[in-house]
Amino acid sequence: MSFFENTRKPVGFGGKIMVAMMNFGHSAMAGWGLSFLRPAPDAMVLDCGCGGGANIKTLLKLCPNGKVQGIDYSAVSVEKTRKVNAGAIAAGRCTVQQASVAELPFEAERFDVVTAFETVYFWPELAQNFREVYRVLKPGGIFFICNEANGETTKDDRWTQIINGMTIYTDTALKEYLEKAGFCQIQSHKNKKGWLCVTAQK
């Protein structure tokens, strides 16, 4: 397995390096994307594919009276996220568990916001996975997707060749999948770096 495969599912020592790199390397993109999200101070938030846990830390600050839960199917990611957010976990404001977006371990209509940073590239069945996100969102809830690649540049092709199982979606493709899952009021934002942010409402 190449080192870059750890972007999909971090494992072992290479995975630990990767999640640390994720926290640092994705911070500017995440900050840009979050400028398009306005969660309520008491929002219940789920971060799917929580990686190294830095985005959960930011979301906890954005929702000072709320709670943030995280899932990732990588044990390495779960361990790192728990360390990064140990204070919030101890305070009862955060939980992190190993799980897959294909079958979210939550009851219906639980969350105000579901976020997905740099992760939908690797979701196995996008249509079904989006339906799962839709299921756990409250009516009027927001699904927030933030990607470093928007599927419109030549460098995107290079990444899909390096990383097995990676698919980079355009905003148009994501919109189609979101609409099929039942989402409405879909908005997309792009910048000159090729970053993409999409928000959709239940």
Side-chain angles (χ1 to χ4, degrees):
M1 185 179 86
S2 78
F3 174 67
F4 288 105
E5 292 288 319
N6 282 295
T7 54
R8 182 166 55 91
K9 187 176 184 180
V11 294
F13 180 68
K16 291 181 179 182
I17 294 172
M18 181 59 77
V19 293
M21 286 172 62
M22 285 175 181
N23 279 352
F24 176 75
H26 295 161
S27 59
M29 178 211 66
W32 169 80
L34 285 169
S35 69
F36 303 107
L37 184 67
R38 298 280 187 272
D42 61 348
M44 290 283 289
V45 182
L46 170 64
D47 187 31
C48 292
C50 56
N55 293 320
I56 285 183
K57 195 168 190 175
T58 302
L59 289 163
L60 284 161
K61 290 177 183 174
L62 287 175
C63 308
N65 303 317
K67 293 184 178 181
V68 181
Q69 296 187 260
I71 64 147
D72 202 293
Y73 75 164
S74 160
V76 169
S77 292
V78 170
E79 180 187 12
K80 177 68 173 178
T81 298
R82 284 176 177 165
K83 283 181 181 176
V84 168
N85 297 285
I89 290 170
R93 291 193 58 221
C94 178
T95 60
V96 185
Q97 59 184 305
Q98 190 171 0
S100 170
V101 71
E103 194 174 344
L104 293 170
F106 307 106
E107 68 270 18
E109 300 184 1
R110 177 162 180 176
F111 298 99
D112 301 291
V113 178
V114 175
T115 60
F117 295 87
E118 284 286 277
T119 179
V120 296
Y121 313 126
F122 310 113
W123 290 12
E125 297 288 343
L126 213 58
Q128 191 271 334
N129 300 155
F130 282 3
R131 284 195 294 272
E132 265 295 271
V133 170
Y134 188 91
R135 180 183 67 79
V136 301
L137 273 170
K138 296 176 184 177
I142 298 295
F143 182 24
F144 169 92
I145 299 169
C146 193
N147 289 346
E148 203 166 4
N150 63 20
E152 296 176 7
T153 68
T154 51
K155 69 175 191 216
D156 294 346
D157 295 331
R158 192 173 79 243
W159 281 115
T160 55
Q161 289 166 11
I162 293 172
I163 303 166
N164 185 41
M166 182 180 191
T167 304
I168 297 176
Y169 300 94
T170 63
D171 59 333
T172 304
L174 288 172
K175 186 173 187 284
E176 288 180 10
Y177 279 109
L178 288 164
E179 286 175 340
K180 285 177 183 176
F183 288 97
C184 62
Q185 295 188 22
I186 299 161
Q187 296 182 316
S188 61
H189 309 272
K190 290 181 273 192
N191 69 2
K192 292 178 182 177
K193 295 183 179 179
W195 298 348
L196 172 64
C197 174
V198 178
T199 58
Q201 188 174 46
K202 177 171 177 176

